[in-house]
Amino acid sequence: MSSASANSRSTVATQCDYERNGKQFGYLDIPSSRNESAWGVVRFPVCVIRNGDGPTVLLTGGNHGDEYEGPIALQKLARSLSSEDIRGRIIILSALNYPAVTSGTRVSPIDGVNMNRAFPGKCDGTLSQRLAHYVTTELLPLCDVVVDLHSGGKTMQFQPFACIHKLDDEVLQARSRELLLAFGAPVSLVLDEIDSGGMLDTTVEESGKVFLAAEIGGGGTATAASVAIAERGVRNVLRHLGILSAASGSRSAAASDRSVLDTSAPGAYLHSNHEGLFEMLADLGQEVRAGDPVAQVHSLTEPDATPVVYRSRHDGRVIGRHFPGLIKQGDFLALIASSTEAGSRQ
Ligand code: CA
């Protein structure tokens, strides 16, 4: 397999041929010599579906191992599509951080690495860094578009949204925005990341390719509704790109709603400064005004103490929340999106 230079040669091996027409299920094998398996590899599932010329999309799920809509929807998609259904190429990594997916944890149990802080990766790094390096150097050059399906995991829950970032490149921004709207999630969002370093998102965007993410549900499980949003969204994207024919199924009603929220308001992310029992006072999807209560934290050690109330700092909508019933100092508490863009809600 080719790489940028001899000293950055990937140790990842696969029997999948990305140029071959048809559908292939295979693995990305990464050497992992360990006590339990001296000459072992860790096998990351991959599916390649190709039918002639056309756009290439990379679909990823399980970037974090406790987020389930992506792996479920993408495995179903991979099984259901045949190459005759499409034009171009679909590469599916339904469990981007496979060891984390198999252990139901956010980060890899093998190297402790958060896959979405491991990009662009290292050819001689840890297992997760090697996988990231392979995606960056071998898969990304093949792709026009990358769609990464996330969820809240065990510690967060979202009103399901698809999201893009603010980009300097206006053409790329416009293409990303069209894809965002095509996905047709209940909420379309321009997301400001707390920490964008090391993310797949950033690597794809810096390469000049279109990147779309989604945050669907959470709480460390998936629901019928949340999986349906992921499945419908991915098929909407494939139709938008011309990989699936426009006639194949109907677009979701939400795809016709062109309003876009954002998280650019100062204080959109609320974090807890207190430890205790966590009570939401405004549920996901609820509209709030500046100063409205969003949640409160009750002391576990002093039941007679007045709970600490956390308030929205601006007009907006609650689209993310801390999930567990207990909260600690420094934990993410809530995300309040606003509609400041022209043409959206007044
Ligand atoms: Ca995630």
Side-chain angles (χ1 to χ4, degrees), residues 18-284:
Y18 298 110
E19 305 306 321
R20 189 196 303 166
N21 283 320
K23 178 160 79 172
Q24 306 164 70
F25 281 100
Y27 298 96
L28 305 177
D29 286 347
I30 307 186
S32 175
S33 180
R34 51 201 190 272
N35 286 336
E36 307 78 43
S37 186
W39 285 3
V41 297
V42 174
R43 320 198 84 176
F44 292 71
V46 60
C47 176
V48 184
I49 310 170
R50 177 155 204 190
N51 186 10
D53 294 332
T56 294
V57 62
L58 171 63
L59 305 174
T60 55
N63 189 330
H64 294 125
D66 58 352
E67 305 175 4
Y68 296 99
E69 287 81 0
I72 293 170
L74 295 182
Q75 285 190 203
K76 289 171 77 175
L77 182 79
R79 289 195 302 271
S80 69
L81 286 181
S82 71
S83 59
E84 294 77 34
D85 298 328
I86 74 158
R87 181 183 72 84
R89 181 167 49 187
I90 305 172
I91 302 172
I92 299 173
L93 294 176
S94 57
L96 189 67
N97 194 339
Y98 182 72
V101 171
T102 57
S103 69
T105 53
R106 179 171 176 81
V107 307
S108 171
I110 294 180
D111 57 15
V113 168
N114 178 340
M115 186 63 82
N116 219 23
R117 302 293 181 276
F119 281 85
K122 288 183 188 165
C123 64
D124 57 352
T126 68
L127 192 81
S128 304
Q129 291 167 336
R130 286 172 193 239
L131 191 278
H133 176 265
Y134 180 85
V135 171
T136 301
T137 59
E138 302 288 341
L139 298 185
L140 195 48
L142 305 177
C143 295
D144 302 289
V145 172
V146 177
V147 179
D148 190 27
L149 298 176
H150 286 251
S151 181
K154 288 175 178 168
T155 66
M156 300 187 292
Q157 187 178 36
F158 295 107
Q159 184 183 28
F161 63 81
C163 62
I164 58 172
H165 303 108
K166 213 164 258 155
L167 305 172
D168 294 333
D169 182 333
E170 287 182 14
V171 174
L172 193 61
Q173 183 81 81
R175 291 176 62 205
S176 304
R177 189 187 170 94
E178 286 307 309
L179 198 67
L180 170 70
L181 293 169
F183 188 97
V187 172
S188 299
L189 184 74
V190 178
L191 182 68
D192 291 68
E193 301 285 351
I194 293 179
D195 171 19
S196 62
M199 296 178 74
L200 171 61
D201 319 38
T202 310
T203 295
V204 176
E205 288 161 358
E206 287 179 351
S207 75
K209 310 293 176 80
V210 175
F211 181 83
L212 180 71
E215 294 283 359
I216 305 168
T221 192
T223 67
S226 65
V227 171
I229 289 165
E231 293 188 85
R232 200 171 56 220
V234 168
R235 285 180 179 269
N236 283 343
V237 163
L238 295 176
R239 277 190 287 273
H240 177 78
L241 298 173
I243 294 175
L244 276 178
S245 78
S248 59
S250 59
R251 292 166 72 102
S252 68
S256 61
D257 175 2
R258 311 253 323 155
S259 66
V260 175
L261 305 185
D262 69 54
T263 60
S264 62
Y269 286 88
L270 297 176
H271 286 86
S272 181
N273 193 41
H274 301 85
E275 179 169 355
L277 286 168
F278 179 64
E279 179 190 6
M280 288 300 285
L281 298 173
D283 281 327
L284 292 174

